[in-house]
Amino acid sequence: MHFESFFIQAMIYLAAAVIAVPVGKKLGIGSVLGYLVAGAVIGPSVLGLIGGENGEDVLHFAEFGVVMMLFLIGLELRPLALWKMRRNLLGTGMTQVVVTTLAIGALAMWGLGESWRAALCLGLVLALSSTAIAIQTLTEKGLIRTRGGRHSFSVLLFQDIAVIPMIAVMPMLADPALRGSVENHSSTWTAHLPPWGVTLVVLLVVGGIVWVGRFAATHVLRVIAKTRSRETFVASALLLVVAITVLMTKIGLSPALGTFIAGVALSDNEYRHELESDLEPVKGLLLALFFMAIGAGIDFALIAGQPLRIIAMTAVLVAVKGLVLWGIGRVSKLSLDHRSVFTLALAQGGEFAFVLFAVAAPLGIISAQLKAEMTAVVVLSMALTPILFLAAERLLFPRFVGSGGDEREPDEIDEHNPVIIAGFGRFGNLVGRFLRAQDVHATVLDVDSDHIELLRKLGFKTYYGDASRLELLEAAGAESAKILVVAIGDESKATEIVQIAKRHFPHLTVLARAGSRMHVYELLEAGVDHFFLEQQGSAIDCAERLAVLLGNRAYSMHRAATQFKAHDNAMMTDLFEHRKDMKSYITKARKQIHDIEARFRSDRQSMDAFTDKAWESRSLIEEFGDGRVGREPEGK
């Protein structure tokens, strides 16, 4: 019966996950919020498909997904990169925890009338943010590698470290009568050791994890890899993470911190990529369970009983943490866009709150009622994070971030060149570097102030400003320029710039980066002169190299690739007028594809082999020995 119940619960969670992601993507709310909503729907407060105790058990199990996520993040972070983070890790992270603890503690004392012990406990616990929610949301939105994302990660890592002393401090805040009984029942190996003994054990364990990651794991994984058994390799990877989790729990430390350290130690390992690929699906599934368990844990009955109090405390928590984070971001000289990301990512409560509240309540530091209320506040704040990001993306970012809303004014442009480049990221910088190598001068505009500072250090003269603003294009010399290159990745913004340029500067030849075929049609409608599908060139280059590796002649394939690219671009232009009639579009596209394939088939059949070889360097090398025309091949 137990197994039957287990499979029923598993079926419910998996069905909810399968439904949540497509619906979340379709509605544009993202997978995290989709999982939270799905969990709330199947939870005890709505449909009741998942019981309260079962939901808590699943939550504890699914927290292993957070642990695994930190391990995988550690694999991507080399020790040198971690060392470079030390300033943000210690400075920014410590400042956030200390200031937030003091602010929330003061509000708890004077606003809720709690004792100083309970207020300090609440300040410490609520200063923490959700590693799972923040990192998953930042990763999903492509913000984890931005400066705001890196600052967020540094603070989250410091918070994971700070959990260790927080757990140690809790018994000191307890009623002396309860403190002894709780300590006597502690199951950690270090419970009865003096402080110096605890420190020694922690150093030995952390040192052991680093040694295993740097040295022993390589030999063990090499032996396992020789068996060519994928299942054994996956099992060994899971064993490593589970063993570290158990070990860290037994000495009273954060399992997430321990696996992160192990991941960093393994980041130079030759099997790093295999570990990532094997654990990634497991991590994703466990995180999905974690988010759904949080959604299922929302106590709507408690919230309905005192809605104003719970909602007010949630709003105050997010507002106080947001103000602290905003101030830290300003002191750290983060631009408005990165500061917004930093603030939104960390303004919620964290999953370690459940652990710390479970420690604090039996010690009498906080009452059972306050624990229930604060648990509801933390869960609501976590659910609020994806919603705040969604609202910011649709309402705030388009108006203020990168559109002149930043407090920084556009730079004064003191040069006019024949070429203007809007956007100097991974696409625009290649265009600009090639032009500079040909001694062609260009005026470069970008909206990422941190990126601009880096470009200037590298020797590229770049101006801050939004190219969709008419006055900025005028200041950049659009009246006298010949060519505008629109190289930004934001498709809607790129189309807007093309429209403005063609409307106000019709003499300009506009070249634009296109993110997709649909974007090509938008650009053509806006009047672009030349478009460049960003994946097209590298994909055709790959296909050309593949054909040569299969034995085809290099020049023949180069010529075919050039012709294919021209035909593909011509096809997109021809299909432009059919874009709004899907039936006509598909019919025309099928005919175009068939015509291109038939043309290449005809070319191959009628190809003059002698002419091709005249252009084929490999044939010349074979004929003339060392490839120099006019020299007799050896042996003749």
Side-chain angles (χ1 to χ4, degrees), residues 229-248:
S229 171
R230 182 177 177 84
E231 295 80 5
T232 307
F233 199 91
V234 173
S236 65
L238 287 171
L239 174 62
L240 177 65
V241 178
V242 171
I244 293 173
T245 300
V246 172
L247 182 61
M248 297 298 280

Side-chain angles (χ1 to χ4, degrees), residues 126 294 297-304 306 309-311 313-314 317 349 353-354 357 368-384:
L126 298 179
I294 289 176
I298 298 177
D299 191 343
F300 289 102
L302 177 65
I303 297 172
Q306 40 186 344
R309 177 179 171 86
I310 300 297
I311 292 173
M313 287 194 294
T314 304
L317 171 64
F354 309 135
F357 283 147
Q369 176 66 20
L370 184 60
K371 175 193 172 186
E373 292 175 352
M374 287 303 159
T375 299
V377 167
V378 170
V379 172
L380 284 179
S381 70
M382 293 169 75
L384 197 59

Side-chain angles (χ1 to χ4, degrees), residues 190-214:
T190 58
H192 305 290
L193 294 178
W196 66 267
V198 175
T199 304
L200 181 61
V201 170
V202 169
L203 291 176
L204 287 174
V205 169
V206 172
I209 290 174
V210 173
W211 180 82
V212 168
R214 297 289 290 178

Side-chain angles (χ1 to χ4, degrees), residues 131-145:
T131 302
I133 295 282
I135 290 182
Q136 184 70 12
T137 303
L138 291 171
T139 302
E140 189 174 273
K141 298 183 180 300
L143 299 170
I144 191 66
R145 297 188 184 278

Side-chain angles (χ1 to χ4, degrees), residues 507-527:
H507 69 282
L508 275 177
T509 300
V510 180
L511 289 70
R513 162 190 180 181
S516 64
R517 289 180 180 268
M518 290 299 112
H519 188 214
V520 167
Y521 302 143
E522 293 176 7
L523 292 172
L524 288 171
E525 192 169 12

Side-chain angles (χ1 to χ4, degrees), residues 234-539:
V234 173
S236 65
L238 287 171
L239 174 62
L240 177 65
V241 178
V242 171
I244 293 173
T245 300
V246 172
L247 182 61
M248 297 298 280
T249 303
K250 284 298 183 181
I251 63 171
L253 298 185
S254 163
L257 176 63
T259 52
F260 174 78
I261 294 172
V264 174
L266 282 164
S267 61
D268 290 321
N269 192 284
E270 60 189 281
Y271 298 104
R272 175 171 68 94
H273 297 295
E274 285 82 355
L275 289 169
E276 287 178 338
S277 62
D278 289 341
L279 294 179
E280 186 68 35
V282 181
K283 179 213 74 173
L285 183 59
L286 289 174
L287 282 179
L289 282 175
F290 176 77
F291 296 135
M292 285 191 290
I294 289 176
I298 298 177
D299 191 343
F300 289 102
L302 177 65
I303 297 172
Q306 40 186 344
L308 294 180
R309 177 179 171 86
I310 300 297
I311 292 173
M313 287 194 294
T314 304
V316 170
L317 171 64
V318 173
V320 170
K321 293 189 75 172
L323 288 172
V324 172
L325 291 162
W326 186 268
I328 293 173
R330 192 175 184 87
V331 172
S332 301
K333 298 182 179 179
L334 291 177
S335 59
L336 180 62
D337 47 356
H338 296 300
R339 200 185 316 152
S340 302
V341 170
F342 177 61
T343 301
L344 290 172
L346 303 178
Q348 78 290 117
E351 52 270 358
F352 280 114
F354 309 135
V355 177
L356 292 169
F357 283 147
V359 173
L363 290 169
I365 303 172
I366 58 175
S367 64
Q369 176 66 20
L370 184 60
K371 175 193 172 186
E373 292 175 352
M374 287 303 159
T375 299
V377 167
V378 170
V379 172
L380 284 179
S381 70
M382 293 169 75
L384 197 59
T385 299
I387 298 175
L388 290 176
F389 261 105
L390 186 64
E393 283 182 326
R394 296 186 176 181
L395 302 177
L396 298 180
F397 289 172
R399 296 180 57 191
F400 299 109
V401 177
S403 300
D406 201 334
E407 64 271 15
R408 174 174 175 175
E409 291 295 319
D411 292 335
E412 184 177 344
I413 302 174
D414 56 8
E415 61 177 331
H416 288 174
N417 293 306
V419 179
I420 300 173
I421 301 177
F424 213 64
R426 63 176 184 268
F427 187 97
N429 88 85
L430 291 173
V431 176
R433 285 167 52 201
F434 179 82
L435 292 178
R436 196 161 85 159
Q438 307 307 314
D439 201 27
V440 176
H441 298 286
T443 302
V444 179
L445 309 174
D446 204 287
V447 293
D448 189 332
S449 55
D450 299 313
H451 185 52
I452 289 172
E453 295 303 318
L454 175 61
L455 289 170
R456 288 174 177 173
K457 290 176 182 178
L458 293 173
F460 293 97
K461 193 171 186 180
T462 312
Y463 298 97
Y464 176 84
D466 181 8
S468 66
R469 295 173 59 182
L470 177 60
E471 62 270 23
L472 188 72
L473 287 177
E474 291 174 342
E479 289 283 1
S480 58
K482 297 179 180 179
I483 297 173
L484 169 65
V485 180
V486 182
I488 64 174
D490 187 328
E491 294 184 5
S492 60
K493 181 68 72 174
T495 305
E496 181 185 353
I497 294 172
V498 173
Q499 290 171 337
I500 292 172
K502 299 305 289 186
R503 185 184 308 126
H504 296 280
F505 311 102
H507 69 282
L508 275 177
T509 300
V510 180
L511 289 70
R513 162 190 180 181
S516 64
R517 289 180 180 268
M518 290 299 112
H519 188 214
V520 167
Y521 302 143
E522 293 176 7
L523 292 172
L524 288 171
E525 192 169 12
V528 74
D529 296 290
H530 303 280
F531 60 82
F532 301 89
L533 192 59
E534 60 183 12
Q535 306 95 339
Q536 185 191 58
S538 56

